[in-house]
Amino acid sequence: MSAPGGVPRSRSEPRPPARGRAAAATYLRAHLYGAALGRTLLDRCISAVDPADRDRIRPLRAQFDMEIATARHLLARISPLGTPGRRLVRVTTAVTFAALPAGPLLREPLTRLGLLESLRTLVVAKRSMWELLAGSWVADGVHSGAVRVPDDDDNDDDTVHPDDTRGLLLGLADQARRQEDLLEELRRHYGLEVFG
């Protein structure tokens, strides 16, 4: 086929769909960007909820950090390209949240509800990711090794995950389900405050 003027059009073959390691690496990278957003959203939610609820969701910080560390570790094992740069993820997160209200406005009921709904949506996606990976070759073909995650006190008693990838992924899926249940409870509570 020719373009106007008789110049032949270039015919580029469509790229084959990503499969296997390439697909898993792409999938994990996308979720790592989502995890960075989720971590920032979590901090905003902690600031926005009432003090009693703040104590309930603050422990999710360590869980989110451990999940991010695990995803980065899996990605490094799957792909020679490694994980996305932390600076790039940080910049992406900063740009995404540049327009988000800050300070006292976060306690405005509708804004608070929107934050909780957004965070819950990301947690649902995260749970789905862990479940899919646990049912895939990743659980059999990639040994996670010992993933050490610093705790909040920055002492030497880090969390260590054993070299059981499937068990680790299923445990993370269960943890995400509990996070989802907690956020749904809070979402309903603050939603009824807005619309009740």
Side-chain angles (χ1 to χ4, degrees):
M1 211 170 179
S2 296
V7 179
R9 283 187 182 157
S10 63
R11 291 187 181 180
S12 57
E13 291 292 323
R15 295 181 64 182
R19 297 196 185 283
R21 286 182 177 272
T26 301
Y27 187 64
L28 276 167
R29 281 193 190 92
H31 274 274
L32 276 169
Y33 284 108
L37 296 177
R39 184 63 171 77
T40 302
L41 262 177
L42 174 61
D43 286 338
R44 301 293 173 98
C45 286
I46 290 170
S47 300
V49 298
D50 295 336
D53 293 325
R54 204 169 294 155
D55 292 337
R56 296 178 67 196
I57 64 173
R58 192 174 279 124
L60 270 59
R61 277 179 173 159
Q63 295 175 12
F64 275 43
D65 289 341
M66 181 265 290
E67 292 160 354
I68 290 169
T70 303
R72 290 176 65 87
H73 188 76
L74 284 173
L75 181 55
R77 297 264 179 159
I78 290 170
S79 171
L81 299 177
T83 60
R86 291 185 182 187
R87 183 176 181 282
L88 180 59
V89 172
R90 246 190 338 262
V91 168
T92 303
T93 305
V95 169
T96 302
F97 283 97
L100 190 68
L105 290 177
L106 281 176
R107 296 190 60 80
E108 193 274 321
L110 199 55
T111 301
R112 178 167 53 190
L113 177 61
L115 287 168
L116 288 166
E117 288 186 341
S118 299
L119 183 59
R120 183 185 174 279
T121 299
L122 286 172
V123 168
V124 170
K126 174 176 65 178
R127 175 175 58 81
S128 174
M129 176 192 73
W130 296 129
E131 290 172 347
L132 284 172
L133 292 175
S136 74
W137 63 269
V138 173
D140 299 323
V142 178
H143 298 294
S144 61
V147 179
R148 293 187 172 271
V149 184
D151 58 22
D152 289 337
D153 299 327
D154 280 339
N155 60 27
D156 293 331
D157 299 328
D158 298 340
T159 303
V160 179
H161 301 292
D163 193 10
D164 171 17
T165 306
R166 186 179 307 280
L168 172 63
L169 295 172
L170 290 174
L172 290 171
D174 286 341
Q175 178 173 273
R177 190 175 291 106
R178 291 191 297 274
Q179 294 170 358
E180 180 185 341
D181 290 343
L182 172 59
L183 292 169
E184 174 61 13
E185 180 186 335
L186 294 173
R187 185 188 75 87
R188 289 180 59 81
H189 169 72
Y190 288 107
L192 289 173
E193 277 193 3
V194 174
F195 305 118

